[in-house]
Amino acid sequence: MRQTNTAPRNNKLKPSSNLIMNGSVRVRVIRTLLAIQNGQSLASVLDPLLNSLHDGDKGFAHALLLTTLRQWHALARLLDTLADNPIDEVEVRTTIQVGLVQLLYLEVADHAAIHETVEAAKEIEFSHATGLINAILRKVAKNPSKFRKKCDKKHSLPNWLAYQLKQDWSEQYDELTQGLRQAAPMFLRVNSAVSSVEDYQQALDGAEIDADIVELTSGFNLPNSSNTAIATTLSTKGLRLHQSTAVNALPDFAFGVASVQDMHAQLAAPIINKALMAKISTDKSNTDIDSEANNNELHILDACAAPGGKLAHWLELISANNESSLFHVKQDDAKSTPVTADIKVTAIDNEAPRIERIRENLQRLNLSQHDLQQAEKSVALNIVCADATRWQHGKNKKAATNEPVFDAILLDSPCTATGVIRRHPDISILRTEEDVEQTALLQADILHNLWPQLKAGGYLLYVTCSILKQENVEQMQDFISHHNDAVAIEFTEDCSWGIAQAIGRQCLPIDSESGDGFYYALLHKTMA
């Protein structure tokens, strides 16, 4: 199709501050998409969009926005084949892509999709393009299955990212790139301190919410007091809902019985918790059982903790009255008496709003410092707004020593978040190739700052929600090559998740029932 030139081209996006939530549903979606292209995140614009609509329109608006984002790059390539001349106006391209989504993916009636999209162009003051928009959409409406097949044939990613995934995951490339175009399943983590996965599944059933129990097994070799590798396994259970559900419909959600958390994200807290228990056991085996050291003081750190899901999970495990609790850890000698500990938990993140988000989540889960103080167990929680590239443990800057103080560190490292594109499809628009290099440098800075603060014998769990090797296994290989006291713990074949890497394991978001793309590497600090 040929683009008419009845008005001057407007190649520049309007400032994001001009995001106005009025007009038809389609107009509001178009304006939201323009704001995202202008650098705003989906998380920052989704609620304003939905809150501006009547309840009856919210479902359609949500589906239209998310589907357009998921198919964004494939739609752009299709659009380029439908126009005789390049369409440079971002507003016009965005409007046409919103129309294409209605015809190809949402099965909106042809006349409604075309008419309402053309009217939307008028509302955003691009009447000069209505003829072009009408012509393209009518052409597609004549044979939607043909154009849907053409759109689905290849990936819907920026070319630089598709190329990198081809380099990193050649065997999984086709499944991976198609999987990233799908909606992610909704998973729940049950607070083990107050309920069980099985009991909560029954509660969901009573609320007519269908869910399956998902169990993942993690296996790794941890050194003991004799410095020999001991095979260790643990099980992590969660729930996968058959259909995504509003949290206010989940039984006792407001009372902290359950949290929304991806299944692969639920692996973090159990792994670092199990490693810490092994360290405690080893330390006690090297100490006189009757000594005062039998009552240990533990310091643990959750770095880059916001929004607090993994921190909350760790605190839940600590508080649970079962074998996961750090208050009851046996020595290597099975006949020895369980030992107890005073636990000091520090959580840091570098933005005040994100710190507030941590506090809100912990409050709902009854895991605030006040709640922990009221419990019989001794857990001190300190949440700090700080830059992980420079922060050092201490009461104040003058007291900071950068000396080993932590027994375990959970580093949920900043990353490009390419593993969660299914949940945040705006990532494929917002991220650039240059971001990968900058993020890898940031990760290295954080690792180099935190590692000296880990005690000998301690563990650091490195986690990202990226599927790019530069941020994951290559980052770990580089780190270990510069730190003689860093040893990678081997994940064994007992793991029911992820793909073994030279260091750590990588989960990929390939199918509609799997969790997101997460990378895990567990490092042990030796005496070297």
Side-chain angles (χ1 to χ4, degrees):
M1 295 294 171
R2 186 177 299 276
Q3 181 183 4
T4 58
N5 292 308
T6 58
R9 291 184 178 183
N10 176 13
N11 294 329
K12 294 184 178 180
L13 287 173
K14 295 180 176 65
S16 57
S17 59
N18 284 357
L19 179 60
I20 302 173
M21 285 304 172
N22 59 22
S24 69
V25 174
R26 290 166 178 81
V27 165
R28 298 182 199 208
V29 170
I30 290 168
R31 286 177 172 151
T32 302
L33 287 165
L34 292 172
I36 290 172
Q37 293 172 79
N38 218 1
Q40 291 189 255
S41 69
L42 174 62
S44 70
V45 297
L46 181 57
D47 283 347
L49 168 65
L50 298 181
N51 292 338
S52 74
L53 296 168
H54 297 297
D55 289 345
D57 292 329
K58 291 181 179 181
F60 174 68
H62 188 270
L64 182 57
L65 175 62
L66 270 292
T67 307
T68 304
L69 287 171
R70 289 194 177 102
Q71 312 304 332
W72 185 261
H73 298 280
L75 290 168
R77 287 190 290 270
L78 176 63
L79 177 54
D80 289 338
T81 69
L82 292 169
D84 293 335
N85 295 321
I87 302 174
D88 296 327
E89 293 171 303
V90 179
E91 293 86 349
V92 176
R93 293 185 66 88
T94 302
T95 301
I96 296 174
Q97 289 183 224
V98 166
L100 291 173
V101 164
Q102 296 171 68
L103 295 172
L104 301 182
Y105 293 97
L106 299 186
E107 299 181 352
V108 176
D110 295 356
H111 65 278
I114 296 171
H115 174 73
E116 295 298 330
T117 303
V118 170
E119 290 301 307
K122 296 177 182 178
E123 284 190 64
I124 63 171
E125 301 180 356
F126 277 79
S127 297
H128 68 276
T130 54
L132 173 69
I133 295 170
N134 183 69
I136 288 178
L137 295 183
R138 286 189 178 279
K139 179 178 181 179
V140 172
K142 290 179 181 179
N143 195 345
S145 60
K146 167 189 171 183
F147 291 105
R148 167 71 184 264
K149 184 177 181 180
K150 187 175 182 179
C151 201
D152 288 346
K153 187 175 182 180
K154 294 184 179 180
H155 62 82
S156 186
L157 297 168
N159 288 331
W160 72 265
L161 180 55
Y163 175 80
Q164 191 57 57
L165 293 180
K166 184 73 170 179
Q167 299 301 305
D168 288 352
W169 306 106
S170 58
E171 294 183 11
Q172 298 85 7
Y173 175 77
D174 290 334
E175 285 184 293
L176 177 57
T177 54
Q178 288 302 314
L180 288 173
R181 302 176 72 166
Q182 310 305 315
M186 181 174 178
F187 293 95
L188 300 179
R189 182 188 81 245
V190 179
N191 187 342
S192 57
V194 298
S195 185
S196 68
V197 172
E198 291 76 12
D199 287 345
Y200 196 72
Q201 183 187 39
Q202 292 183 8
L204 290 172
D205 186 59
E208 298 184 343
I209 300 173
D210 295 327
D212 297 323
I213 294 177
V214 179
E215 184 173 5
L216 300 179
T217 301
S218 299
F220 36 85
N221 294 322
L222 296 174
N224 63 4
S225 57
S226 302
N227 206 29
T228 57
I230 301 297
T232 304
T233 60
L234 62 88
S235 174
T236 304
K237 288 185 179 181
L239 290 165
R240 179 178 57 233
L241 303 189
H242 290 189
Q243 291 185 333
S244 295
T245 304
V247 294
N248 56 15
L250 299 174
D252 294 325
F253 183 84
F255 300 103
V257 179
S259 297
V260 178
Q261 187 179 37
D262 181 76
M263 196 63 218
H264 289 155
Q266 294 184 41
L267 293 165
I271 291 174
I272 189 61
N273 195 63
K274 191 71 172 181
L276 180 55
M277 292 173 71
K279 178 185 183 299
I280 299 170
S281 177
T282 300
D283 289 348
K284 292 304 174 183
S285 294
N286 293 328
T287 306
D288 182 357
I289 192 168
D290 294 323
S291 71
E292 293 184 1
N294 204 36
N295 288 315
N296 211 40
E297 184 175 81
L298 298 173
H299 291 248
I300 62 179
L301 172 67
D302 185 345
C304 311
K310 298 178 182 67
L311 171 64
H313 194 186
W314 202 354
L315 291 172
E316 289 170 5
L317 295 176
I318 291 171
S319 303
N321 292 313
N322 56 35
E323 67 277 1
S324 69
S325 174
L326 296 177
F327 291 95
H328 301 286
V329 182
K330 291 187 176 182
Q331 298 173 218
D332 288 346
D333 179 1
K335 296 181 180 180
S336 63
T337 305
V339 297
T340 59
D342 292 333
I343 302 172
K344 294 185 177 181
V345 181
T346 301
I348 66 172
D349 206 276
N350 67 341
E351 295 181 8
R354 290 167 61 82
I355 290 290
E356 186 59 30
R357 181 77 183 280
I358 295 174
R359 297 187 191 280
E360 291 172 356
N361 286 333
L362 295 183
Q363 187 74 33
R364 181 183 68 83
L365 294 166
N366 303 308
L367 292 168
S368 67
Q369 181 57 67
H370 174 76
D371 297 316
L372 295 171
Q373 286 175 341
Q374 300 304 308
E376 296 179 0
K377 304 177 179 66
S378 178
V379 179
L381 173 63
N382 186 29
I383 302 175
V384 181
C385 186
D387 182 350
T389 65
R390 297 191 299 269
W391 176 85
Q392 296 176 11
H393 181 271
K395 294 181 180 179
N396 53 53
K397 292 183 179 179
K398 292 182 179 179
T401 62
N402 202 31
E403 293 180 355
V405 65
F406 295 109
D407 296 277
I409 298 175
L410 170 57
L411 173 54
D412 190 5
S413 181
C415 67
T416 54
T418 47
V420 294
I421 286 177
R422 297 184 304 174
R423 300 187 193 280
H424 305 280
D426 56 317
I427 289 170
S428 70
I429 296 176
L430 297 175
R431 294 291 180 271
T432 66
E433 191 170 5
E434 291 73 23
D435 289 334
V436 181
E437 182 68 30
Q438 292 302 314
T439 301
L441 293 173
L442 174 62
Q443 293 170 338
D445 286 345
I446 294 173
L447 282 163
H448 291 310
N449 180 56
L450 295 182
W451 186 254
Q453 301 179 63
L454 181 67
K455 294 179 182 177
Y459 292 88
L460 184 149
L461 181 64
Y462 178 81
V463 186
T464 77
C465 57
S466 171
I467 50 178
L468 300 178
K469 291 190 176 184
Q470 185 175 351
E471 300 174 82
N472 297 336
V473 61
E474 292 174 8
Q475 181 73 263
M476 288 292 94
Q477 289 174 315
D478 181 72
F479 180 79
I480 288 179
S481 71
H482 290 90
H483 293 80
N484 294 331
D485 56 351
V487 176
I489 297 297
E490 177 189 2
F491 285 97
T492 67
E493 294 181 357
D494 291 327
C495 285
S496 62
W497 52 270
I499 301 171
Q501 303 294 285
I503 297 174
R505 293 184 75 86
Q506 177 74 59
C507 302
L508 296 177
I510 285 179
D511 60 68
S512 61
E513 295 186 347
S514 69
D516 289 331
F518 274 84
Y519 173 78
Y520 285 93
L522 182 60
L523 303 182
H524 183 227
K525 190 170 188 179
T526 67
M527 298 298 293

